[in-house]
Amino acid sequence: MADKPTPMMQQYLALKREAGDALLFYRMGDFFELFFEDAKIASQVLDIALTTRGEHGGEPVPMCGVPVHSAEGYLARLIKGGCRVAIAEQTETPDEAKERAKREGKPVSKALVARDIVRLVTAGTLTEEALLEPRRANLLVAIAPVRDGIGIAACDISTGRMELEDCAPDRIDAALARLGASEIVAPEDWDEAAEGIIARPRHNFRSEDGEARLKNIHGLATLDGLGDFSRPMLAAAAGLVAYLDHAGRGKLPFLLPPVARGSDAHLAMDAATRSSLEILAAQNGGREGSLIACLDRCATGAGARQLAEDLSAPLADLGTVEARLASVQHFHADPLLRADLRAVLRQAPDIGRALGRLVAGRGSPRDLGQIRDGLAEARRVRDMLGASADLPPLLSGMIDALGGHAALVDHLARALVPSPPTERSQGGFIASGYDHALDALRETSGNARKAIAALEAKYREETDTASLKIKHNKVLGYFIEVPAKHGDKLMAQDSGFTHRQTMAGAVRFNSVGLHEEASRIAEAGAHALAAEEAHFEELVGEVFAAREAIAATAAALARIDVCAALAERAVEGNWSRPEMLDEPCLEIIGGRHPVVEQALAKTGERFVANDCTLGPDDRLWLIGGPNMGGKSTFLRQNALIILLAQAGSFVPATSARIGLADRLFSRVGASDNLARGRSTFMVEMVETAAILSQATDRSFVILDEVGRGTSTYDGMALAWAVVEAVHEQLACRCLFATHYHELSRLAETCDALSLHHVRAREWKGDLVLLHELAKGAADRSYGLSVAKLAGLPKPVIKRAKAVLDKLEKGREQTGGLAAGLGDLPLFAVTAQAEEEQCDALRDAIEALDVDALSPREALEELYRLKAEAAKSAN
Ligand code: ADP
């Protein structure tokens, strides 16, 4: 590439400008090439070789490339690596480019193939099976902060689901945490945008446009029939559709009619709570060790996605929770139905995603086959449910959605071969007997193939060459090949063979007969392909027409799968159906932590079940006891039980009466929770502040060692104040774990607070942790025993014991920390001041160079120090 950019470079640069910050995949023959910075990024992320090609501006141009046929795998890795990719395809063949050049009077030899960006591949706009995780939804979210609030539009284009909601500005983090989107877009002028949010022009987020687009997409005169959509919701919808337009280059993916999500419909949880409860991912980011991993028994990917959504957004409405619980109960009570149903579901393909691909124009014959098989399985599910007596309303309401596709299933079954291929350009997916013309074409090529086989035998005989073969390759088509030593025979003028190619050990020929048969095959093949293509389009059209009904079937299957899977899990773990109430109470008998219980079971250990009973008169439990005693586990198990129940699941307890919660908060003291960027204590306090400003008397709060992230006095004082505030102002149900014994004095002033501890016993000098909750304050902390249990060296333990004895003796003399808590701050200040003065005196003495002093100077120094000491004594 010389100083003046070549035409190709000019074309590249123009496309790159269009692609913006997305990497540009520039199609060149069988490769997608990347240049400049794009090449550097891609070679790093993909770990492929970086080379150079030509020059631009006097510098070599960095380049790397990936083969088109395996591009999907590379795309997946780039998307995972946080990149977006614009795909620039050749939009004409080299021959067409030459024709065009001729027409335009330009030199034909330099004709440049036209290219255009056909698609932007981004994390939130994927539909390809290979790029999606089967058990996780893939959400694209648009945020529209407008004058009267923030609108959020969320959609999973792999299945077409779309939801719109309103959000208060201070809840946006919690909402985004709940959604867990793969990609988020927002107007470029939004100040609050976190890193990674994609900025889009403000004019894309106009509510009028949102309304118009939605009406247009769904062919409606008004959106009133779909729900109540606010202006911010519609503005967000506008932003979302505009981005989809942009990514699909004007081709919209499958979108179902939007559903309005009420902001109070769900149990609200913020990001810190979600992460501390390890709902969809454990602290290390993986699925293992999370609640969902321990719960998920779904037979299908769609069921697993639905379950993840249910756990991310548990319900806050008694009626809908009960409806789900009744369905789980139905499958719980009927093991045969459950087993049969799950066996059928396991066979069912992911029709939601197959539909998404077909409607987006990226579908394959295999997707049609999946729709056929999935709908047929849905019918079987319908028959099974239909035969089951006393179906609860949620399940009986789905019967219709599961059937009703008989004509389509029948058509697909007649039209398609049993397992259609993913590649449609090769044909071979339309069943024989479906189209007589197609059958005839296939017969023609079949006959011609037979004729070619016969020709081979005939030529062998005629030329007396047993090693003569008729072969086929992409470049030459059909040809006759003989080993070089027999070549001369066929070269003869009157042999009837024409020479085509001489290879190292072989010579290749054509013949009139072969040419004729080969032409018949090619012609019939081309016609057959065209016929199959037309059938494909027609079948896709039929699926497209039924898209909403198919999506409803997919949703019904997913919901049934979730209910049956939850029943399966409940049976497996001996869980029980919670009784749900509309009052702020909690009565868990024999509660367990599902994840810890499962982990212990693997090592043959038994989980100790514990009760928890909270009500208006006793709503705050202060829980003490030794480290490792089971405090955190107890706190979390109760939060998880509430979460599970409101998601519609049975719970790991002997029995449970649960008052519906509106918000769930979980906080863990800083030292367990290493956050990046901010000081951990700061994070702890920011998160605690959020609870104090947001919790209501219907909320459930667990606070685990809050205050631990700072010095003892500060920490204790803060913990004290937080407990008081939770008790007095919020009046919510709360479990508070702490190792500060001193807090137990709060029981004297707080009526609805009671003291509890995890039990431990010392046995033959060793500590035994019983993991059992008991009433009353913990008697001591057992810190040293825990340290011993943890294997701290004996001399260190011994030394610590001596220090502890001293401290305790000192405490007896001063009346103890707790005794002085009335004037705790003063105490803390004097203690610190004393320490400082002592240190000043010591420093002064240390600084003295006694040998360098005259007797008189020494005496003066002594007077000075004495005066100093007298000052600090006052
Ligand atoms: P703490 O918060 O008091 O330091 P944890 O709740 O972290 O203690 O529990 C420490 C360990 O004790 C857990 O990892 C688990 O292995 C075990 N454990 C906790 N609760 C129970 C229980 N109820 N039954 C059996 N083992 C338990």
Side-chain angles (χ1 to χ4, degrees):
M1 292 171 205
D3 274 349
K4 181 173 178 319
T6 59
M8 184 186 261
M9 187 42 77
Q10 286 171 17
Q11 183 190 50
Y12 171 84
L13 292 172
L15 289 168
K16 178 60 198 166
R17 267 194 299 281
E18 213 177 305
D21 55 5
L23 304 180
L24 183 67
F25 266 34
Y26 183 83
R27 176 81 183 251
M28 291 176 79
D30 290 337
F31 277 79
F32 284 120
E33 304 287 6
L34 295 103
F35 300 106
F36 301 105
E37 271 311 298
D38 286 4
K40 290 186 191 161
I41 296 171
S43 73
Q44 281 245 320
V45 177
L46 300 174
D47 196 18
I48 54 175
L50 184 68
T51 57
T52 59
R53 179 191 166 111
E55 280 192 350
H56 181 69
E59 299 277 333
V61 178
M63 173 180 100
C64 68
V66 303
V68 171
H69 67 86
S70 56
E72 231 177 47
Y74 290 106
L75 274 175
R77 279 158 62 195
L78 286 170
I79 301 291
K80 265 222 173 86
C83 304
R84 300 188 303 145
V85 179
I87 306 227
E89 283 284 4
Q90 298 176 181
T91 52
E92 59 184 1
T93 62
D95 285 343
E96 285 166 344
K98 284 184 188 136
E99 281 297 316
R100 188 166 49 83
K102 225 185 275 171
R103 278 199 310 276
E104 290 169 2
K106 291 185 185 153
V108 172
S109 60
K110 287 189 190 154
L112 180 63
V113 179
R115 291 178 174 84
D116 204 359
I117 296 180
V118 294
R119 184 179 164 207
L120 198 62
V121 185
T122 73
T125 60
L126 299 175
T127 54
E128 286 83 348
E129 205 169 357
L131 305 188
L132 289 166
E133 286 179 44
R135 296 179 97 80
R136 263 194 60 189
N138 191 48
L139 287 190
L140 170 66
V141 162
I143 304 174
V146 291
R147 224 174 321 122
D148 26 353
I150 299 185
I152 301 179
C155 112
D156 183 344
I157 71 161
S158 70
T159 57
R161 286 184 20 159
M162 178 168 182
E163 280 187 353
L164 304 179
E165 64 182 289
D166 278 321
C167 179
D170 61 341
R171 299 276 161 75
I172 185 77
D173 289 346
L176 292 178
R178 184 189 76 233
L179 291 164
S182 303
E183 195 173 5
I184 303 174
V185 298
E188 61 208 344
D189 57 2
W190 188 40
D191 300 336
E192 316 279 310
E195 204 183 321
I197 292 187
I198 295 161
R200 301 292 304 155
R202 168 54 89 172
H203 63 78
N204 280 354
F205 293 78
R206 276 199 286 254
S207 58
E208 314 83 70
D209 293 348
E211 185 172 357
R213 289 304 301 268
L214 289 177
K215 279 195 220 161
N216 183 287
I217 292 169
H218 301 294
L220 296 169
T222 161
L223 297 179
D224 293 350
L226 299 179
D228 216 0
F229 301 115
S230 65
R231 257 177 33 82
M233 286 184 193
L234 292 170
L240 187 99
V241 175
Y243 185 69
L244 288 175
D245 250 345
H246 167 70
R249 309 295 288 177
K251 186 156 175 44
L252 272 188
F254 177 36
L255 291 177
L256 282 164
V259 177
R261 179 194 269 270
S263 48
D264 294 334
H266 294 95
L267 172 66
M269 293 181 278
D270 56 17
T273 301
R274 285 167 197 281
S275 113
S276 104
L277 290 179
E278 305 181 287
I279 302 172
L280 299 186
Q283 290 289 344
N284 64 14
R287 186 173 153 109
E288 189 151 336
S290 67
L291 177 65
I292 191 160
C294 157
L295 192 66
D296 184 4
R297 297 290 179 275
C298 288
T300 67
R305 298 197 295 273
Q306 183 64 56
L307 179 64
E309 191 183 319
D310 291 353
L311 292 180
S312 298
L315 303 164
D317 169 75
L318 213 50
T320 38
V321 172
E322 287 293 358
R324 283 191 196 167
L325 286 172
S327 308
V328 177
Q329 167 108 52
H330 189 79
F331 293 126
H332 190 262
D334 191 343
L336 278 182
L337 172 67
R338 190 173 74 238
D340 288 350
L341 205 68
R342 285 165 56 73
V344 171
L345 286 171
R346 248 176 243 122
Q347 309 292 324
D350 200 333
I351 51 175
R353 285 193 164 168
L355 180 68
R357 286 189 291 274
L358 286 166
V359 176
R362 298 177 204 148
S364 70
R366 186 175 124 93
D367 291 322
L368 285 175
Q370 292 198 340
I371 299 274
R372 171 196 63 194
D373 300 341
L375 292 180
E377 300 293 356
R379 203 178 176 80
R380 290 177 64 196
V381 170
R382 188 187 80 148
D383 294 344
M384 284 175 168
L385 282 186
S388 172
D390 299 325
L391 269 194
L394 181 66
L395 295 179
S396 61
M398 288 190 290
I399 293 275
D400 283 348
L402 292 170
H405 301 291
L408 177 62
V409 173
D410 177 61
H411 190 182
L412 289 171
R414 278 187 298 114
L416 296 169
V417 298
S419 9
T422 43
E423 184 53 54
R424 92 181 198 233
S425 60
Q426 308 289 323
F429 50 86
I430 295 294
S432 66
Y434 176 68
D435 172 355
H436 295 306
L438 177 63
D439 289 346
L441 288 168
R442 284 180 178 162
E443 204 181 319
T444 308
S445 14
N447 288 342
R449 278 197 186 89
K450 276 187 213 136
I452 287 178
L455 276 182
E456 190 180 63
K458 184 173 149 228
Y459 292 154
R460 275 182 193 172
E461 214 180 283
E462 281 176 9
T463 59
D464 197 18
T465 312
S467 50
L468 178 146
K469 286 198 178 89
I470 296 187
K471 292 184 170 177
H472 181 270
N473 73 23
K474 269 193 186 161
V475 182
L476 295 184
Y478 285 95
F479 55 86
I480 301 151
E481 188 176 283
V482 291
K485 60 177 192 261
H486 297 295
D488 288 349
K489 258 189 275 180
L490 282 75
M491 286 285 197
Q493 277 269 314
D494 55 352
S495 67
F497 298 101
T498 43
H499 175 254
R500 294 193 73 180
Q501 209 175 24
T502 299
M503 315 290 291
V507 195
R508 292 169 171 180
F509 299 90
N510 201 355
S511 76
V512 177
L514 179 61
H515 179 74
E516 269 173 17
E517 297 302 341
S519 307
R520 272 171 61 198
I521 294 178
E523 198 175 320
H527 283 123
L529 272 186
E532 292 209 45
E533 185 64 28
H535 288 308
F536 180 79
E537 295 299 340
E538 184 202 330
L539 293 169
V540 171
E542 218 165 300
V543 167
F544 186 86
R547 63 193 182 281
E548 286 182 19
I550 297 175
T553 308
L557 284 176
R559 173 56 65 204
I560 291 166
D561 187 18
V562 169
C563 291
L566 288 176
E568 182 78 16
R569 184 65 182 89
V571 170
E572 199 181 294
N574 205 7
W575 294 10
S576 60
R577 176 175 177 173
E579 182 186 341
M580 305 304 293
L581 306 157
D582 201 3
E583 57 194 68
C585 66
L586 188 70
E587 206 177 295
I588 312 279
I589 309 297
R592 280 115 53 203
H593 189 302
V595 181
V596 176
E597 182 178 30
Q598 199 176 40
L600 287 180
K602 281 196 189 124
T603 59
E605 279 172 80
R606 200 175 62 84
F607 189 90
V608 181
N610 278 305
D611 303 345
C612 178
T613 49
L614 302 175
D617 302 332
D618 182 15
R619 51 184 145 75
L620 200 168
W621 279 21
L622 205 60
I623 299 160
N627 266 334
M628 293 300 286
K631 299 185 294 297
S632 307
T633 307
F634 178 72
L635 260 52
R636 279 160 221 241
Q637 83 189 27
N638 289 296
L640 291 178
I641 285 173
I642 293 179
L643 187 154
L644 283 169
Q646 295 195 204
S649 167
F650 280 24
V651 296
T654 317
S655 75
R657 294 179 81 235
I658 298 172
L660 221 54
D662 65 346
R663 295 194 178 121
L664 192 62
F665 288 99
S666 168
R667 293 294 184 265
V668 183
S671 57
D672 266 7
N673 184 5
L674 290 175
R676 272 167 295 160
R678 277 192 273 185
S679 110
T680 52
F681 177 63
M682 181 72 179
V683 172
E684 180 181 339
M685 286 300 116
V686 167
E687 291 180 349
T688 308
I691 299 189
L692 297 180
S693 69
Q694 292 173 14
T696 75
D697 59 353
R698 291 288 171 139
S699 305
F700 183 74
V701 176
I702 59 173
L703 292 161
D704 191 357
E705 301 269 10
V706 159
R708 163 171 62 178
T710 182
S711 74
T712 310
Y713 293 137
D714 287 358
M716 193 173 11
L718 283 164
W720 182 286
V722 169
V723 171
E724 272 180 353
V726 169
H727 182 269
E728 300 298 322
Q729 295 160 25
L730 306 181
C732 58
R733 288 161 287 174
C734 172
L735 302 175
F736 192 109
T738 179
H739 65 272
Y740 298 126
H741 302 291
E742 290 77 8
L743 294 193
S744 59
R745 296 202 52 185
L746 277 160
E748 293 163 17
T749 49
C750 300
D751 300 339
L753 177 151
S754 61
L755 302 175
H756 304 261
H757 65 278
V758 283
R759 290 185 57 210
R761 249 207 320 255
E762 223 141 353
W763 195 69
K764 291 190 182 163
D766 280 331
L767 184 72
V768 184
L769 299 168
L770 300 174
H771 302 302
E772 188 184 300
L773 217 76
K775 261 192 160 335
D779 43 1
R780 56 200 194 81
S781 84
Y782 298 98
L784 296 190
S785 316
V786 173
K788 192 169 156 196
L789 212 59
L792 214 64
K794 278 218 177 90
V796 177
I797 304 267
K798 218 168 144 190
R799 173 70 181 151
K801 179 97 183 62
V803 174
L804 181 67
D805 286 346
K806 269 227 154 116
L807 287 175
E808 283 184 341
K809 216 170 263 159
R811 180 145 123 180
E812 270 162 32
Q813 282 160 8
T814 61
L817 268 177
L821 270 182
D823 40 32
L824 179 64
L826 188 61
F827 179 104
V829 171
T830 32
Q832 202 179 349
E834 260 171 30
E835 241 166 55
E836 271 172 23
Q837 274 159 354
C838 259
D839 282 354
L841 218 52
R842 177 179 301 142
D843 289 351
I845 296 173
E846 252 167 17
L848 281 183
D849 184 357
V850 180
D851 291 338
L853 297 178
S854 71
R856 189 194 161 99
E857 280 167 343
L859 196 62
E860 269 170 15
E861 196 57 46
L862 207 54
Y863 276 121
R864 204 180 60 73
L865 286 172
K866 191 158 165 50
E868 192 78 25
K871 234 189 336 190
S872 41
N874 292 331

